[in-house]
Amino acid sequence: MARRYDPERRQRIIDAAIRVVGKSGIAGLSHRTVAAEADVPLGSTTYHFASLDELLVAALRQANEGFAAVVRKSGALADPDADLAEELARVMGEWLAGERTGVELEYELYLAALRRPALRPVAAEWCLELAEILAGRTDPVTARALVALMDGICLQVLLTDAQYEAEYAREMLARIIG
């Protein structure tokens, strides 16, 4: 029996894993549920991802692109005359106003690193990448503090179903920036 060439299969499996986690949480993720969601044979998921942790790493890497893409798209971050606190507060508001399932999914995968050590380097990559972007406008220590504050504000909004307050975020970010 000839094997069918399917160069997008690995990506379809990652996309399916993200959908499964979005619907059922990480507890609902298995090679079997992902194979069914991706409409691929079970052996394809284990061929591309020997363990669920490998699959979660790929899913987290892809999910991390959500917020990072919003930050990268913000041209004002590169403008030295733009109000950095104002721009970061706007970017967080834009991201949090997006599709709620996607935002929650990013955090679910990010927080899974607490119990799955294989995910920790990917979660750390996200923090480092964002800090590097922000360090272009401030110093590295302040950039790390800004990432921590933005992370905390976003997490509180998601966990408490509170309304995002851009003015509060801007004020707190401005305090860190000094």
Side-chain angles (χ1 to χ4, degrees):
M1 176 167 145
R3 289 175 55 164
R4 190 172 70 113
Y5 179 66
D6 186 358
E8 280 123 36
R9 184 171 289 191
R10 184 178 194 281
Q11 184 59 52
R12 283 201 330 272
I13 292 168
I14 294 168
D15 293 341
I18 289 172
R19 287 192 304 274
V20 167
V21 171
K23 288 184 219 167
S24 309
I26 289 177
L29 187 75
S30 69
H31 282 289
R32 192 171 306 285
T33 59
V34 171
E37 180 69 27
D39 194 25
V40 298
L42 178 60
S44 288
T45 63
T46 56
Y47 171 79
H48 289 286
F49 303 97
S51 71
L52 286 180
D53 279 350
E54 283 182 30
L55 182 54
L56 281 169
V57 163
L60 179 56
R61 273 218 169 87
Q62 184 168 312
N64 279 349
E65 281 304 305
F67 187 70
V70 172
V71 172
R72 265 192 241 93
K73 273 188 352 190
S74 173
L77 289 178
D79 179 358
D81 297 325
D83 180 337
L84 181 59
E86 181 72 32
E87 185 59 19
L88 291 175
R90 184 195 64 73
V91 167
M92 280 195 303
E94 182 181 318
W95 184 69
L96 287 167
E99 185 212 347
R100 178 75 181 211
T101 304
V103 173
E104 288 175 353
L105 171 67
E106 284 188 52
Y107 265 98
E108 183 164 2
L109 288 167
Y110 177 63
L111 292 173
L114 291 171
R115 300 258 185 235
R116 293 178 178 263
L119 296 178
R120 289 183 188 155
V122 182
E125 283 172 17
W126 179 86
C127 295
L128 290 172
E129 178 185 359
L130 190 51
E132 285 174 9
I133 293 169
L134 297 177
R137 286 286 314 272
T138 186
D139 63 275
V141 173
T142 301
R144 284 180 51 210
L146 291 170
V147 171
L149 176 60
M150 291 189 306
D151 204 15
I153 289 172
C154 290
L155 191 54
Q156 286 179 358
V157 167
L158 292 171
L159 291 175
T160 64
D161 283 327
Q163 186 71 28
Y164 172 69
E165 298 174 39
E167 185 51 37
Y168 166 78
R170 192 207 61 72
E171 183 181 332
M172 294 302 107
L173 290 161
R175 287 182 186 188
I176 289 175
I177 293 167

